Amino acid sequence: MTERYDISLNTPAGQLTSAVEVPTGFVPVSAIVPMMRRLGEEAQALEERRSIEAGHAISCKKGCAACCRMLVPVSAPEAFALRDHVQTLPETEQTRLAQRFAVTRTALLARGLWNDLIEMGESTNPPDDDALEPINRAYYALRLPCAFLDQDVCTIYEHRPAACRELLVTSPAEWCQDPVAHPVDALPVPVRIGPALSLLWGELTEQPPKLIPLATALDWAARHEQENRPRWQGTHILDRALDKVWRFLSQAFQQK
Ligand code: SF4
């Protein structure tokens, strides 16, 4: 059973009102992922509208996969939700995906990056932006396509992580091929849903928040499977999730 809640949030790009369906029973934290992604997208849509009204069109289009070669961080609830989704795919697709993830792992091992990424997902003290920068650069230098990418199309488009949805640029699409040489003009992100989910997971499970590189996320979710077994009342998860969203929104207002 679910209960409907009307949510109203004040974002730097305007008022967001949304209706969400929340399970009334006890669910794992990953159950909140679809709702949080939708909230993030609705907040982002306000930013898009504001940018277009100011004459800055969004360059990102379906089929452009330049940013699908970057290091994508996901929260623990997203890693569990992704694994759950992959397990619903036909066996042939699961096998294809496993092969692509194995190719990614081999490439990262060969460049000495795999263990850094595993460590990032396991660390009780996640790296800050400065510590992440050299790993981000080394990863992007490989131009390694995301394992979910097939012929430059995201095979999990409806289930892709929040970080993939949040990177929208107004600079020319070609610049994304080499953002080191051409820093891109990215749209502001009012609420970073991945970090918000990470904080939520940290609070509920009494663990440090974690950000897990997407290339290692399915392995991580398998290793940590038992951590997605605890259940909380849906309304309690929603309450704590909105607390994190408000925290990000108040930071966004302070930075204006
Ligand atoms: S999950 Fe999809 S959108 Fe995100 S990096 Fe991979 S292929 Fe691209």
Side-chain angles (χ1 to χ4, degrees), residues 76 115-128 131-132 135 198 201-202 207-213 216 220 223-224 227:
N115 289 337
D116 288 344
L117 300 189
I118 291 287
E119 213 173 288
M120 194 188 298
E122 299 298 340
S123 170
T124 52
N125 188 17
D128 59 17
L132 259 183
I135 301 177
S198 233
W201 187 78
Q207 296 191 48
K210 282 196 165 68
L211 282 176
I212 304 143
T216 66
W220 186 94
R223 278 198 309 278
H224 292 258
E227 292 170 32

Side-chain angles (χ1 to χ4, degrees), residues 67-68 72 146 148-149 154 156 160-161 164 214:
C67 56
C68 297
V72 174
C146 171
F148 287 114
L149 199 63
C154 176
I156 55 157
R160 69 199 191 286
C164 304
L214 180 57

Side-chain angles (χ1 to χ4, degrees), residues 43 45 57 75 77 80 119 136 142 164 169 178 180 197 211 218 256:
S75 60
F80 291 127
E119 213 173 288
N136 273 332
L142 299 180
C164 304
V169 301
D178 191 355
V180 176
L197 282 167
L211 282 176
L218 295 181
K256 277 195 81 185

